[in-house]
Every structure is written in structure tokens, then in C-alpha cells.
Amino acid sequence: MDDKTTRILVCDDEQDVREMLQEYLGKRGFAVTTAGDAQELRSVLTRGGSDLIILDINMPGEDGLAALRSLRVDSQIPVIMLTAAGEVVDRIIGLEMGADDYLGKPVDLRELEARIKAVLRRRGQGNVKQENPAKIDTAQFGDYLLDIEAAKMTAGDGSELPLTAMEFNLLKAFARNKGRVLNRDQILEQAHDRSWDPFDRSIDIRISRLRRKIEKNPEKPTIIRTVRGLGYVYDPEHS
């Protein structure tokens, strides 16, 4: 095995979930091992290292939160928690205890892969390919032209549309990733604003405000579209 292969440990009491994640992530170049409970998790970690753990909260016996608490005594391995929809309290506790991210069940596999890569990039670990955004000078957003070098957006009549620094960074990130769905972590990275909290909805709020400026109908956006369960996409050819 390539010593640069990212090693992922999936801990979930549901066998079908373990097998699904192992198959999907394995096909995408990750080395995946599995554990059915917290005791087996510790056993696997004792036998060999892991670069990231995917840990289910709801397990019989010692649950995922207890396992995370035990793990954080002497390890800072990145952990992504899996939680049933609506379990806000467990999610908050998990983040306070040192989880790096969370994802609700049922798991969207493409989003999980994106979250894994984002967590590993933030931690500076794993053989994660950095996707370099395209270098462009201008981009058309509906009736407006974004000039990246001049850091301004103008309408067809030449008038300038006022933008905040955050709005400009958002537009620049979308322009350089035309046609590609970006999740919140990717937007967070590429907009270079570390004050944003990846676990709250601040990105959604900022995109909503931006839509009110550039969309003809902000309630039915066509320039920056929502891709349910995944994120946002700027795809002018299909608007």
C-alpha cells in the first residue's frame, strides 16, 4: 500500500453502513478499516494508525460521544460524527468535545467525501489532492460583470454594484469554480474568510443576501443555484 494513502476508520454499529462507506471510499482511493463498536474502535487503533475517524453517535453500549471523550484524552485524530437528523444537542456536545465535523444520516456519500477532504486539508493531513480553481479575470453573473482584478461588479450601463468584501470573495470563488458544486467547507476555504463558522448557516445567509443583489428573482435563483444536500453551484450555461 502507498504510504501516502489516507487511512480512514469507520465506526458504526450498522453493518450495512460500514460496508457501504468502505466500498464507496475505497473506490475513491482511501484505505478503509471498520469497527462495530467503541471497543473494536480502540482495538483497531491499537493495531495501526488512522488519519481520520468516521464515528456514529448512536451505538449501543458506549455511544459515540463517550468514545470521542475517551479518544480525546490522548489523541487528536480528526473525527467526523454521524448523527440522526435533528439531534442538535448531541451535535453541539460533539463539537465542544473535539469533533471536527458532523454529518446527518442518511449519509450523502458525495458530501461525506467532500467533508473528509475539507477536514484533512484543515488539519494538514492525508494525501488529499488540492483542486486549483481556474484563474480568470472576469465572469458574467446575470446582468452583471465581475472584474476580479479590479475587485468590482458593473451592470450593462457601466454603473457599479456595491459589494462587501465577503460578497466579492464569494463571487470570486464561484467564478473560479464555474459548473462545480461547492459545499460550505469548500466555500469557506476558497473565500478565505476564517471568521466564518463552518457549522452555522452564515454562508447560507451571505449567499441569500448576494442573490438579492444579482438575481432577477431571488426566491427562484438561476445564477447561483442550490444543489439540495450538497451546496451551491454557479453554472451560467444552464441558468
Side-chain angles (χ1 to χ4, degrees):
M1 181 187 300
D2 186 344
D3 60 5
K4 293 184 179 181
T5 299
T6 300
R7 301 160 299 176
I8 295 178
L9 172 53
V10 176
C11 183
D12 195 298
D13 64 303
E14 298 180 58
Q15 183 176 348
D16 57 342
V17 172
R18 296 196 303 271
E19 292 175 349
M20 175 183 67
L21 297 184
Q22 185 170 37
E23 179 181 5
Y24 180 85
L25 296 174
K27 287 181 178 178
R28 278 146 185 82
F30 298 99
V32 184
T33 54
T34 64
D37 55 33
Q39 183 177 349
E40 190 175 356
L41 167 71
R42 283 188 281 271
S43 177
V44 172
L45 289 174
T46 300
R47 295 197 302 267
S50 293
D51 297 307
L52 181 141
I53 296 171
I54 299 172
L55 179 60
D56 184 30
I57 286 182
N58 292 317
M59 297 188 294
E62 185 179 353
D63 65 17
L65 291 174
L68 176 63
R69 183 184 299 110
S70 173
L71 181 69
R72 283 291 176 255
V73 171
D74 57 8
S75 173
Q76 291 302 314
I77 296 174
V79 174
I80 296 177
M81 307 291 292
L82 299 183
T83 177
E87 292 181 334
V88 178
V89 175
D90 281 351
R91 171 170 63 84
I92 292 172
I93 293 172
L95 296 176
E96 289 177 345
M97 289 169 52
D100 292 81
D101 203 347
Y102 75 95
L103 199 61
K105 285 185 172 182
V107 177
D108 183 293
L109 296 174
R110 289 174 297 176
E111 182 175 6
L112 175 61
E113 182 183 4
R115 296 289 188 98
I116 289 170
K117 291 178 178 179
V119 166
L120 290 172
R121 280 195 296 267
R122 290 201 300 266
R123 289 292 200 103
Q125 297 179 10
N127 184 27
V128 179
K129 181 182 178 182
Q130 295 284 354
E131 299 183 31
N132 297 318
K135 299 297 182 183
I136 61 171
D137 297 321
T138 62
Q140 194 74 35
F141 286 83
D143 296 333
Y144 299 95
L145 181 69
L146 179 71
D147 186 327
I148 293 175
E149 291 301 315
K152 67 179 183 179
M153 177 171 267
T154 55
D157 61 5
S159 61
E160 186 172 343
L161 179 70
L163 294 174
T164 67
M166 291 179 185
E167 288 169 344
F168 171 73
N169 286 337
L170 277 173
L171 288 169
K172 182 170 65 173
F174 282 117
R176 290 180 169 172
N177 292 274
K178 184 174 70 173
R180 176 182 169 215
V181 177
L182 298 176
N183 63 32
R184 291 180 185 85
D185 282 310
Q186 292 165 324
I187 294 170
L188 182 73
E189 273 193 12
Q190 297 198 27
H192 301 298
D193 191 332
R194 298 296 177 179
S195 68
W196 295 359
D197 183 347
F199 305 116
D200 68 19
R201 299 310 234 184
S202 60
I203 293 174
D204 300 336
I205 293 169
R206 286 172 171 85
I207 289 176
S208 178
R209 290 174 180 165
L210 187 58
R211 282 169 168 169
R212 289 199 289 270
K213 290 188 175 184
I214 66 174
E215 298 276 1
K216 291 182 177 178
N217 183 356
E219 300 303 316
K220 296 181 179 179
T222 60
I223 299 171
I224 298 175
R225 294 184 290 109
T226 300
V227 181
R228 189 176 179 85
L230 295 178
Y232 299 95
V233 62
Y234 161 65
D235 195 2
E237 280 80 12
H238 295 84
S239 62

